[in-house]
Amino acid sequence: MAASQRLGVRSWWSQFSSSATRIKSAPPLFGNGTTHSKRLGGISSDGGLSRKLGLADLILLGIGASIGAGIFVVTGTVAHDAGPAVVVSFALAATACVPNALSYAELSSRFPALVGGAYMYSYSTFNELTAFLVFCHLMLDYHIGAASITRSLASYLVTSLQIFPIVKALPPWVGPGGLELFGGALSINVIAPLLLVGLTIILCQGVKESSVVNDVMTIAKVSIVLMVIAVGSFEVDTSNWTPFTPNGLTPVITGATVVFFAYVGFDAVANSAEECKNPQRDLPIGILVSLFVCAGLYVAVCFVVTGMVPYINLGGDAPLANAFMDKGLNFVSILISVGAVCGLTTTVLVGLYVQSRLYLGLGRDGLLPAFFAKIDAHHQTPVTAQVWVGSVAAILAGFFNVSHLSHILSVGCLASYSIVCACVVMLRINTENQWQDGEDQLPQKGLTRWNEAVLCMLGISLCGFLVGLCYRTGGPVTYEIVLLVIMGLLLIPLLTRQVCISHYLCCFVTIQMISISYSEEVC
């Protein structure tokens, strides 16, 4: 009996190891036209999703995922500490995102036009276990994020409508915050689930229908932001920009790690590959343009808000709205409220969209039940997966106050961003002939170039995290210097032995690891 149990355990472990290290067939170095552009009447020739998204849709998708109500709040709250130099914080964060955007752009044009994004990239580059862990991190991010943001949206709507007497008389389980039960273990809110049901119904109608809703609301949101910038620019007092860094450089760098998460639209655009008309051309452009548009809007808003009022007066829940009210421009505050509602709505809409496509990808690969891979014949959307993600978000938003978990949402974002950077490095190590023909290579003694690159990147990431930890805990500066020297030494093999542009990619991974330590402290 004992021998048979040991044999069973050994067999299970062997099967698990074989599955965990399995790798998808990787694409050639540059995707060919037939892989990406097979279409039949706007529908993928293999019976997949409908290809209806153009370049403008992709750009607005990325902007809709990135710019939420935070552009009216985070800009002011970070400026309260960093001063007028908050502009530098947003610029640094955008600069740190550029290598990642380029990584997403390269991979999106290289891989077949299928759903999956970071999950698919890691599956084809590393192995099945890594890909599944990336999916788990992303789902933790998206599920909690959808519930938390929808709660904020429900609270925002009810608060805005309280100018009507009937809304003021609503019970707590309808009003902002919800009805707390069992010491806060449960928090009942009926508005948030209803909003999620409505957004899920829109997404189930088809990608073009949901894209139109996102396009309209994103254009309205961006128009309001541009109007805020235009009106506020006439109220700017340049003396408010002096001193530019009142509290030194530390709050500026710390602020950059906070606002880094304002640029999160890459994976949303990458996951729309299978529904894009011309993915090889449009995906890279959509990713990069959406990043630069968001960066420009953030920087412009920062210039205006810090020029309108002294930075010390910024803060609270609505710093930008308060700045305009101080100038007697109350109508702009109303526009800001409308823009915030549009921003929160598009963020939730795009988040639910991305989740369903990720579930679709795993259902196709057999890592989740096959019903997640079913596509409705009429609407050409994964209705089952869409209803599932909407239901999970509705349950979380309706019965739990998940806002206190929002500080861990950076984990999924950092995991996907880091793995995408690593995918670019690792794919460039392998030549095109190795991927296509699988030619036998002579055995090598010691570490292979692939293993060497993995170890160097892990070491750089660990050192970056420790640097941030030392900074956050007030550790000796000597430790930080030693860790930075080690990071530099680990970069040498990547710069001299690897055929890739991994120097800036690894630096970016380091910035992400440091931001874990910074962000939790500031938020």
Side-chain angles (χ1 to χ4, degrees):
M1 180 65 72
S4 63
Q5 288 179 346
R6 285 196 297 270
L7 183 61
V9 171
R10 205 170 292 148
S11 175
W12 173 85
W13 177 253
S14 175
Q15 184 178 2
F16 172 79
S17 301
S18 176
S19 299
T21 56
R22 187 165 49 206
I23 301 177
K24 258 189 175 182
S25 298
L29 185 60
F30 297 103
N32 54 60
T34 57
T35 303
H36 292 286
S37 59
K38 287 182 180 178
R39 297 189 298 276
L40 184 61
I43 299 174
S44 176
S45 58
D46 61 356
L49 300 172
S50 177
R51 296 189 180 276
K52 295 182 178 180
L53 298 180
L55 178 58
D57 297 319
L58 295 177
I59 294 173
L60 292 173
L61 186 71
I63 297 173
S66 299
I67 295 184
I71 193 170
F72 305 114
V73 179
V74 176
T75 49
T77 54
V78 176
H80 182 74
D81 297 320
V86 64
V87 175
V88 179
S89 297
F90 274 95
L92 285 175
T95 303
C97 285
V98 168
N100 195 251
L102 292 173
S103 300
Y104 265 103
E106 177 176 331
L107 294 177
S108 64
S109 62
R110 171 175 181 159
F111 277 76
L114 299 172
V115 295
Y119 156 77
M120 180 180 66
Y121 305 152
S122 58
Y123 200 167
S124 300
T125 305
F126 293 99
N127 51 51
E128 186 174 292
L129 179 61
T130 303
F132 188 75
L133 292 176
V134 170
F135 166 78
C136 292
H137 278 94
L138 287 173
M139 284 305 100
L140 175 69
D141 190 336
Y142 281 121
H143 281 314
I144 296 177
S148 177
I149 296 172
T150 308
R151 276 232 165 188
S152 300
L153 176 58
S155 177
Y156 218 108
L157 282 173
V158 174
T159 302
S160 301
L161 295 175
Q162 282 185 344
I163 58 175
F164 302 103
I166 189 174
V167 177
K168 290 184 178 180
L170 291 175
W173 47 271
V174 177
L179 177 63
E180 302 287 341
L181 298 174
F182 305 108
L186 289 178
S187 179
I188 309 299
N189 188 306
V190 298
I191 300 296
L194 292 176
L195 292 172
L196 285 164
V197 169
L199 293 176
T200 300
I201 292 174
I202 292 173
L203 288 165
C204 289
Q205 298 306 305
V207 66
K208 192 59 181 178
E209 289 76 5
S210 56
S211 176
V212 168
V213 174
N214 176 73
D215 292 351
V216 171
M217 301 197 77
T218 301
I219 290 173
K221 172 177 57 179
V222 173
S223 300
I224 291 173
V225 173
L226 292 175
M227 188 177 297
V228 167
I229 295 170
V231 175
S233 61
F234 290 100
E235 302 293 334
V236 168
D237 181 0
T238 56
S239 63
N240 290 327
W241 290 334
T242 306
F244 191 67
T245 55
N247 299 316
L249 290 178
T250 299
V252 177
I253 298 175
T254 304
T257 64
V258 175
V259 304
F260 171 81
F261 300 100
Y263 306 97
V264 293
F266 308 133
D267 204 54
V269 179
N271 269 284
S272 66
E274 196 169 334
E275 293 163 294
C276 180
K277 294 178 182 178
N278 190 354
Q280 191 173 13
R281 184 202 69 179
D282 291 347
L283 286 175
I285 297 175
I287 290 170
L288 294 172
V289 172
S290 61
L291 169 63
F292 292 132
V293 169
C294 293
L297 292 176
Y298 279 123
V299 169
V301 169
C302 289
F303 268 121
V304 169
V305 71
T306 54
M308 288 179 62
V309 296
Y311 74 93
I312 199 67
N313 295 337
L314 296 172
D317 296 330
L320 193 61
N322 293 337
F324 279 96
M325 291 178 68
D326 290 343
K327 297 292 184 178
L329 301 172
N330 294 337
F331 75 96
V332 179
S333 300
I334 299 175
L335 289 177
I336 290 174
S337 298
V338 175
V341 170
C342 292
L344 291 170
T345 304
T346 56
T347 302
V348 177
L349 184 73
V350 175
L352 294 174
Y353 166 80
V354 174
Q355 288 180 69
S356 65
R357 272 53 181 179
L358 284 170
Y359 275 101
L360 171 63
L362 269 80
R364 287 174 173 173
D365 293 336
L367 299 181
L368 289 177
F371 59 78
F372 283 118
K374 291 183 179 179
I375 298 176
D376 183 77
H378 177 64
H379 298 293
Q380 291 295 316
T381 57
V383 173
T384 304
Q386 196 66 71
V387 171
W388 165 258
V389 299
S391 301
V392 172
I395 292 172
L396 289 174
F399 294 98
F400 303 98
N401 185 6
V402 295
S403 59
H404 61 281
L405 298 177
S406 59
H407 68 279
I408 68 173
L409 297 184
S410 59
V411 175
C413 177
L414 292 173
S416 62
Y417 280 16
S418 300
I419 203 70
V420 166
C421 289
C423 285
V424 172
V425 176
M426 304 316 298
L427 285 174
R428 290 193 175 193
I429 292 174
N430 298 277
T431 64
E432 183 175 1
N433 289 334
Q434 285 177 296
W435 283 117
Q436 290 181 310
D437 304 326
E439 297 178 353
D440 295 333
Q441 303 295 318
L442 295 175
Q444 300 181 14
K445 293 183 179 180
L447 291 176
T448 64
R449 292 173 64 243
W450 196 92
N451 293 332
E452 181 183 275
V454 170
L455 291 175
C456 287
M457 287 189 293
L458 288 176
I460 290 170
S461 300
L462 178 60
C463 289
F465 176 77
L466 293 176
V467 169
L469 192 63
C470 288
Y471 175 86
R472 185 181 159 205
T473 57
V477 179
T478 307
Y479 292 173
E480 298 179 28
I481 295 175
V482 171
L483 290 169
L484 290 173
V485 171
I486 295 175
M487 289 167 59
L489 294 175
L490 291 173
L491 277 173
I492 294 176
L494 291 173
L495 291 169
T496 57
R497 286 178 47 80
Q498 308 300 340
V499 187
C500 57
I501 53 173
S502 55
H503 48 291
Y504 68 79
L505 295 177
C506 292
C507 289
F508 179 66
V509 173
T510 301
I511 293 173
Q512 295 178 70
M513 296 302 105
I514 295 174
S515 69
I516 296 177
S517 300
Y518 285 159
S519 299
E520 185 176 351
E521 178 186 24
V522 176
C523 297

